[in-house]
Amino acid sequence: MTPTHLGPAEHLFSAEEVEAAIQRMAVAINKDLEHLTPHRPVVLLCVLTGAIVVVGQLMPHLHFPMTLDCVQVSRYGSETSGGELQWRTRPKESLAGAVVLLVDDILDEGITLKSIQDYCMAEGAVAVHTAVMVRKMRPRSIDLQVDYVGLEVPDQFVFGYGLDARGLGRNAPGIFFLPEDH
Ligand code: IMP
Ligand code: MG
């Protein structure tokens, strides 16, 4: 157990491990996207709020022309599971004809990423590549291919590196989870 602002928590990955994973993702993304961009910059879409940290670390390692835009989709309902989807921020620039790199903090059920990907395609994107800093090891009914995954985490509510638990913990320097009885 490690002391955190949210109480004693299990430390899954250190900041160094997360940063190394983000760099590995950047290498794979560069390999796939760098040859696509002589004509038009890739649109990197950051899923607010949690992906801010991973996007900030990923971007300086990406070597192709890009623009940065943000989307925000909230899921209401219980704090830690499920809920209805609501769009809060849509991309500011047109996605018609764009290659999109959609980056989120975590893949849980996959509903968030799948809805945003569908939205981008409906807006005319030619391709939507998806990247998540962490993926929960759990079964999933959503049909979604995630192209780049940094780390795998157990099916627990995790926080740190942009991910929050009840609004806190986004600044935790690594990835943590709270014990069941917390
Ligand atoms: P999904 O739609 O179930 O994939 O949920 C994805 C969204 O829920 C993410 O963008 C996160 O904001 C949030 N989320 C899901 N699981 C966690 C978690 O363990 N910690 C923090 N946020 C989470
Ligand atoms: Mg999110």
Side-chain angles (χ1 to χ4, degrees):
M1 289 289 198
T2 307
T4 73
H5 299 151
L6 287 150
E10 292 286 349
H11 197 174
L12 287 172
F13 295 105
S14 67
E16 291 71 26
E17 287 169 317
V18 182
E19 278 162 31
I22 293 172
Q23 286 193 26
R24 286 195 297 273
M25 287 168 75
V27 169
I29 295 169
N30 280 326
K31 202 160 156 258
D32 291 347
L33 300 194
E34 145 176 273
H35 68 281
L36 294 175
T37 50
H39 308 298
R40 191 177 165 168
V42 167
V43 178
L44 193 160
L45 268 192
C46 172
V47 183
L48 296 173
T49 303
I52 282 180
V53 179
V54 55
V55 166
Q57 294 225 340
L58 189 63
M59 274 180 57
H61 297 290
L62 299 178
H63 303 317
F64 44 82
M66 69 166 63
T67 60
L68 175 63
D69 211 334
C70 295
V71 289
Q72 189 165 27
V73 175
S74 295
R75 290 184 61 188
Y76 291 109
S78 82
E79 274 181 350
T80 56
S81 70
E84 206 181 312
L85 274 180
Q86 181 168 328
W87 276 88
R88 294 186 165 201
T89 308
R90 294 178 196 267
K92 281 158 205 69
E93 301 299 327
S94 165
L95 298 177
V99 171
V100 174
L101 174 62
L102 179 61
V103 184
D104 204 356
D105 49 8
I106 190 164
L107 181 74
D108 185 13
E109 287 175 80
I111 295 167
T112 304
L113 218 54
K114 174 75 175 148
S115 330
I116 301 171
Q117 188 182 44
D118 288 351
Y119 173 84
C120 294
M121 293 307 287
E123 291 292 301
V126 290
V128 183
H129 299 259
T130 48
V132 293
M133 177 176 70
V134 294
R135 174 168 64 189
K136 271 192 203 177
M137 289 182 282
R138 54 163 291 171
R140 224 164 257 115
S141 51
I142 296 276
D143 176 26
L144 172 73
Q145 162 85 31
V146 179
D147 303 301
Y148 312 100
V149 176
L151 297 162
E152 304 271 2
V153 294
D155 190 7
Q156 300 280 352
F157 202 82
V158 295
F159 67 94
Y161 246 80
L163 289 155
D164 74 303
R166 300 186 296 270
L168 289 173
R170 293 196 196 272
N171 56 331
I175 300 196
F176 300 82
F177 72 87
L178 293 170
E180 291 289 324
D181 57 1
H182 195 80

